[in-house]
Amino acid sequence: MELQNVDRRLDEAMSPQVRVSHVVWRASVIGGIALEARRPVVIARRSILGLLGGSAVAAIVSVLDPLPARAQIQAVAQGNSPTALAAAEYRKVMESTQGLKGGRCFIKRISDTSWEVGYQMDRVRWAVYTLKAPEVPGPRAAYDRVPQLHTAYIRMPRSRHRCKDRARWKYSKAWKVQTSYGYLRALPGAPSAAYALPPGSRSVCLHTASHVANGLVRVRLTDERGKSVTLTGAKKGRDLMAAGVVSRASMASGAVTSGSRYVDTYEPGSQNGREQVKMLAENLDPARKYTLKVWPVNVKLKGRTNKYAGIFGASVETQKPNSGTHWVTVERMGTSWRSHSAHEYALNVGIGGRDVFIGGVHGYDAPVSLAVYVDGQRKSQIPNGKTYVGTSIRLERKTRLEHPGVRDNGKAADALVRYSMTRWGLKVNRTVRWAVKGTYKRPYFVMWPTSLERVTWIGADRNWDADRNLGKGAKAHLGFQKSLTCVAWNPGSKHIGVCDYSLDSVAGWQWGTEKKPQVYYEDRSSGIKKLYVCPLPAGTNRSFKAGETFRAESTYRMGRVPSADSLLNRG
């Protein structure tokens, strides 16, 4: 079922008060990597009524109660029951992670074996997912040439605008560009740099050089009438003094004033000359004309070696990314670039007396073909760096699954993975058709690796007992769920990520304990937290024949909320 149809049916069928409860846990994180997260803390306790997981409300409710769907919904909606509260919360999550109405999608080829795809969350931010082949080749049948869903970001695509000639900054008595890095460096007393924002601008960023350029710049944004606009991304002089960056003497001399706005270009630990991006303002009126002015400040700051600032330029958002677009990462939502962990499948199967994991990062996955479609039209001969923009993107990846139990590591199955992106998120469809007979041991068909600190899950089973300590192995077990929606975020963030699999997506997997997939969320020692969905509980096997096919589907989404903690933390 398409997600837009789900959202539409939720709109029609659910009252704003209908909710299903959830559980949240914590993990200690330093620098975005979990260092100690073996025993996440359950901070909410509810029983679950199955209304969610991306399937039609009426279909799920009919499983749980013989009453007609509309009557059941009306009954659940009465009062402030846990089910009513959490289902409306789910509705908010799904609404906040659908993309911009009328928005665009893009695909960019990064290298021979890596890609980026993204959709517009709003006018400023995009949800960006990467596909990347593992970097370390090995004896596992060319899997290092198979692009796999990798990590995820919330990013801003920027179109840069540099200083106009009439407002050149001076360095050594002339405009000077630091040839090794490409930024402008100004002596104190130089005139302001002026950036005229193009018509339709809704946000503005300042691009600064770090480390060697460790001084302040004063910034001011005005409209065509000369009226100042508040730059929420820049700090006032009095705030810098309170933080110990600016001395009282500098304030007293007037070199830094209390109410003016400043950007500190210093970035601790950054490489010499590395470009940093500061969001100064968003939600600008696109009908107005704005000018951003930047002045160097003649103040030596506490602990700094000099007082000069380096500026690359200013930028505004672009609605149509291209190969020259400057992408700015707002928040990383997935694993690190160097960490590989399977999304598509990880199939522990026994063939010919050998039991091994095959597929994805586990290897034995050889490339056959990769096709790219933009708005339904196939694109061929795509060079590295090329970007396409449309309303829908689709990649179709065909591979050959091999197995050491087949003679000469021969073919065990044909695999097809479709990555489909629209404003409704990234949908991943997996199809594997076996060429030989064998036995399923632990076949994972939906996964979601992330490094986000807090996770809420909403299952489809009415009597799911959430009162447990969650961690590794059995402690991470979330039950046997017909459908599941996982939501993850960092404390204090306004961004959330979602992994969802619906009843429809597992229709071909109605076997195993209670004929429902086993689900658990595990904190990995490598700093990765990961959702696993397996149709067989541990110790249970199931045979398959040559010609048999398995299919599964999950959807990944990202979005922005006023406060993830207040929206999702119901402890």
Side-chain angles (χ1 to χ4, degrees):
M1 180 181 295
E2 296 294 329
L3 280 175
Q4 53 263 51
N5 292 334
V6 172
D7 291 341
R8 176 177 56 79
R9 294 183 70 170
L10 282 171
D11 288 340
E12 295 172 352
M14 298 178 71
S15 78
Q17 289 77 34
V18 181
R19 301 191 176 184
V20 172
S21 87
H22 64 265
V23 180
V24 183
W25 66 81
R26 292 189 174 93
S28 301
V29 169
I30 297 178
I33 301 176
L35 301 181
E36 180 63 34
R38 294 186 178 87
R39 293 179 64 84
V41 180
V42 175
I43 62 175
R45 183 177 182 178
R46 303 283 191 270
S47 61
I48 299 299
L49 175 63
L51 296 176
L52 307 178
S55 295
V57 174
I60 304 175
V61 170
S62 65
V63 175
L64 303 174
D65 197 288
L67 289 174
R70 185 172 298 277
Q72 173 68 13
I73 292 168
Q74 291 173 348
V76 172
Q78 301 300 318
N80 292 319
S81 66
T83 53
L85 293 173
E89 185 168 286
Y90 168 83
R91 178 190 177 95
K92 291 179 182 178
V93 166
M94 300 310 284
E95 287 176 348
S96 67
T97 55
Q98 66 183 23
L100 179 69
K101 186 175 183 179
R104 300 172 184 267
C105 302
F106 84 93
I107 181 170
K108 180 179 181 179
R109 185 167 191 169
I110 305 300
S111 69
D112 292 344
T113 58
S114 60
W115 302 75
E116 285 183 344
V117 292
Y119 68 93
Q120 280 185 281
M121 292 167 49
D122 53 37
R123 289 287 179 181
V124 176
R125 299 165 190 82
W126 291 57
V128 180
Y129 298 86
T130 64
L131 287 91
K132 176 188 175 187
E135 294 179 352
V136 182
R140 294 182 287 181
Y143 81 119
D144 58 305
R145 292 186 285 117
V146 178
Q148 304 167 28
L149 192 57
H150 183 43
T151 189
Y153 306 89
I154 292 177
R155 285 178 168 166
M156 298 183 297
R158 316 301 297 174
S159 175
R160 182 177 295 163
H161 294 264
R162 291 192 180 276
C163 303
K164 303 296 183 183
D165 286 353
R166 62 181 174 81
R168 291 177 179 175
W169 280 16
K170 305 297 182 182
Y171 181 78
S172 300
K173 299 182 179 180
W175 178 326
K176 181 176 179 63
V177 175
Q178 299 286 106
T179 54
S180 57
Y181 303 115
Y183 60 81
L184 302 177
R185 192 174 179 186
L187 287 172
S192 64
Y195 300 87
L197 276 59
S201 296
R202 298 175 183 269
S203 65
V204 61
C205 285
L206 185 66
H207 296 240
T208 64
S210 64
H211 191 51
V212 296
N214 51 11
L216 291 179
V217 290
R218 180 165 63 92
V219 290
R220 186 185 181 202
L221 185 67
T222 58
D223 63 15
E224 66 273 19
R225 297 168 293 182
K227 184 178 179 180
S228 294
V229 178
T230 300
L231 296 176
T232 56
K235 293 183 178 180
K236 291 183 178 180
R238 56 177 172 267
D239 296 328
L240 292 173
M241 185 182 71
V245 176
V246 173
S247 67
R248 291 186 178 274
S250 295
M251 294 287 289
S253 68
V256 176
T257 59
S258 177
S260 296
R261 297 274 179 171
Y262 299 87
V263 171
D264 186 356
T265 65
Y266 179 62
E267 199 69 32
S270 180
Q271 294 179 350
N272 190 5
R274 183 176 179 179
E275 188 167 359
Q276 305 291 329
V277 182
K278 314 284 186 179
M279 170 66 86
L280 298 183
E282 56 182 306
N283 298 322
L284 301 178
D285 185 347
R288 294 165 66 183
K289 298 178 180 178
Y290 297 94
T291 300
L292 175 67
K293 289 189 176 182
V294 184
W295 292 264
V297 179
N298 186 15
V299 172
K300 187 172 182 179
L301 307 177
K302 183 178 180 180
R304 311 293 174 82
T305 58
N306 64 52
K307 55 189 176 184
Y308 305 134
I311 302 295
F312 282 96
S315 67
V316 298
E317 75 285 349
T318 178
Q319 303 303 309
K320 191 173 182 180
N322 55 44
S323 57
T325 296
H326 186 95
W327 286 93
V328 177
T329 297
V330 179
E331 187 169 0
R332 176 165 61 87
M333 305 294 284
T335 60
S336 69
W337 181 252
R338 295 184 178 276
S339 299
H340 276 277
S341 190
H343 285 73
E344 292 85 353
Y345 44 65
L347 306 173
N348 186 352
V349 293
I351 298 175
R354 297 284 302 276
D355 297 347
V356 297
F357 273 99
I358 63 173
V361 298
H362 293 280
Y364 303 107
D365 209 347
V368 174
S369 65
L370 183 71
V372 175
Y373 299 84
V374 179
D375 292 337
Q377 300 296 314
R378 184 168 181 175
K379 305 294 182 181
S380 58
Q381 303 297 321
I382 303 174
N384 292 343
K386 178 68 175 179
T387 299
Y388 290 101
V389 177
T391 57
S392 67
I393 303 293
R394 187 173 82 253
L395 289 88
E396 294 188 355
R397 190 198 78 186
K398 293 182 179 180
T399 61
R400 182 181 65 254
L401 287 175
E402 300 170 346
H403 196 285
V406 180
R407 184 177 179 181
D408 297 326
N409 281 346
K411 184 175 80 170
D414 293 305
L416 170 63
V417 180
R418 289 189 178 92
Y419 306 89
S420 304
M421 173 162 282
T422 64
R423 63 174 287 240
W424 306 99
L426 176 63
K427 183 191 296 182
V428 181
N429 295 83
R430 305 100 163 142
T431 301
V432 172
R433 182 177 179 84
W434 295 104
V436 296
K437 67 179 181 178
T439 304
Y440 289 112
K441 302 291 185 176
R442 293 293 284 167
Y444 297 100
F445 67 89
V446 171
M447 288 165 287
W448 186 33
T450 177
S451 56
L452 300 175
E453 292 187 38
R454 311 184 81 174
V455 178
T456 292
W457 61 94
I458 305 170
D461 289 354
R462 173 166 47 188
N463 296 318
W464 173 28
D465 176 15
D467 185 18
R468 66 181 81 240
N469 291 321
L470 300 168
K472 290 183 173 295
K475 294 180 179 179
H477 188 214
L478 308 187
F480 298 89
Q481 303 291 336
K482 293 180 180 178
S483 63
L484 189 89
T485 300
C486 251
V487 186
W489 75 99
N490 278 321
S493 177
K494 295 183 178 181
H495 303 124
I496 58 175
V498 173
C499 176
D500 175 271
Y501 76 88
S502 67
L503 287 172
D504 299 326
S505 72
V506 295
W509 289 84
Q510 298 303 309
W511 39 269
T513 300
E514 301 178 25
K515 297 185 178 180
K516 289 170 288 189
Q518 181 188 27
V519 184
Y520 64 98
Y521 190 94
E522 186 174 77
D523 285 325
R524 306 282 296 276
S525 58
S526 60
I528 299 174
K529 299 178 181 64
K530 190 167 182 179
L531 172 72
Y532 292 89
V533 181
C534 180
L536 288 177
T540 303
N541 301 331
R542 180 185 184 274
S543 62
F544 57 84
K545 300 176 182 179
E548 262 190 43
T549 299
F550 90 71
R551 296 179 179 85
E553 173 187 302
S554 60
T555 301
Y556 304 91
R557 303 169 76 163
M558 288 184 273
R560 181 176 169 86
V561 295
S563 168
D565 289 330
S566 61
L567 174 65
L568 300 172
N569 181 356
R570 301 190 59 80

